[in-house]
Amino acid sequence: PLRLGDLQLAHRVVLAPLTRQRGDDERLAPIDGLQEVYYAQRATSGGLLISEATLVSSEGLLDHRVPGIWNAEQTKGWKKVVDAVHAKGGLISLQLWHTGRCAHASFKDHPAMQPGRTPSVSASDIAVPNKTRSTLSGEKLPYPAPRPLGLDEMPRLIEDYRNAARNAKAAGFDAIELHAAHGYLLDQFLNDGTNRRTDKYGGSLENRSRLLHEVLAALGEVFPFCRIGVRIS
């Protein structure tokens, strides 16, 4: 048995996040009849599952069929997953994800793209030094330099995370995990190799970690901190 925050687990075997790419092609909602079966197969009584990385907004879209949690339709799809896991006596946490500069600008034409959200963005205009995971056409192309996020955009970005947390709670998730690792957006702010800013979000470690702290504060308005995890690398 293990107590994790205020979650009582029956055992220490936890399912780690695994990219499945089983979102609907156009809506990026979990595919009905597939995702809930996949997660239910892995659920155990008193055991914890951590979902695949799930986009907080379409601004972070880096590949086809990765699921999101920014709208009601996606939330409805995730609720079916949560209900299937709970029916087996399991617990499930949703991993919240924004890929930042790892998203390719071609996805701006994806049918699920939200107004005012255009890939790719980052802390600074430093491109990923290799080819893309994918593009809208499916080609692998060199990454362009991302657009540095402006100070006026930070409240909107933080609200995207808060909105995703609200949707996760509405779907019935037991906890959430904030993805701040592996070179994705929050890690791009933390890392001095990708963050060359001279404002309050750059320079010192305190400044580079500011966005992470602000996002966590927003998530804490929705979930108790004892049910929020942070993935760092």
Side-chain angles (χ1 to χ4, degrees):
L2 175 68
R3 192 161 186 83
L4 191 62
D6 71 346
L7 296 178
Q8 184 62 51
L9 308 184
H11 55 78
R12 295 169 181 263
V13 180
V14 176
L15 179 76
L18 298 164
T19 300
R20 300 292 87 189
Q21 291 184 253
R22 292 173 177 170
D24 175 272
D25 269 326
E26 294 193 354
R27 303 166 299 161
L28 303 181
I31 295 175
D32 193 27
L34 181 61
Q35 282 287 68
E36 61 264 38
V37 172
Y38 170 80
Y39 282 100
Q41 286 173 338
R42 285 148 183 83
T44 58
S45 180
L48 176 64
L49 311 181
I50 304 176
S51 81
E52 63 210 87
T54 302
L55 292 171
V56 301
S57 84
S58 58
E59 188 175 66
L61 184 56
L62 86 168
D63 207 344
H64 295 273
R65 296 180 296 280
V66 291
I69 186 107
W70 64 81
N71 64 35
E73 188 171 17
Q74 294 163 347
T75 303
K76 182 179 178 181
W78 278 115
K79 187 177 187 310
K80 292 180 181 179
V81 172
V82 172
D83 288 348
V85 171
H86 285 168
K88 295 281 290 288
L91 302 167
I92 184 167
S93 174
L94 182 71
Q95 189 181 77
L96 301 178
W97 190 39
H98 191 310
T99 67
R101 69 175 188 161
C102 299
H104 193 266
S106 63
F107 281 105
K108 65 182 174 54
D109 296 320
H110 191 279
M113 191 57 56
Q114 301 160 275
R117 308 289 190 277
T118 304
S120 69
V121 298
S122 187
S124 301
D125 60 351
I126 301 170
V128 178
N130 50 32
K131 289 190 175 181
T132 60
R133 174 168 153 176
S134 186
T135 58
L136 188 63
S137 67
E139 298 175 273
K140 292 185 181 293
L141 300 172
Y143 278 100
R147 178 179 62 80
L149 284 159
L151 286 175
D152 61 332
E153 295 181 275
M154 297 306 185
R156 183 272 298 167
L157 175 65
I158 294 166
E159 180 57 32
D160 284 345
Y161 278 98
R162 185 186 288 109
N163 174 66
R166 288 194 194 107
N167 289 339
K169 191 163 192 177
F173 281 95
D174 301 288
I176 52 176
E177 180 179 87
L178 179 60
H179 200 332
H182 304 159
Y184 295 122
L185 181 64
L186 293 176
D187 196 29
Q188 291 159 29
F189 274 82
L190 290 170
N191 195 315
D192 60 7
T194 48
N195 185 342
R196 305 288 173 82
R197 301 174 76 98
T198 57
D199 58 20
K200 66 180 183 178
Y201 291 99
S204 67
L205 178 58
E206 179 183 8
N207 283 353
R208 298 197 314 272
S209 62
R210 187 183 304 276
L211 180 60
L212 173 59
H213 286 283
E214 291 176 346
V215 170
L216 275 171
L219 300 185
E221 296 172 12
V222 183
F223 278 83
F225 286 111
C226 57
R227 293 198 177 207
I228 300 173
V230 181
R231 185 175 187 134
I232 57 175
S233 58

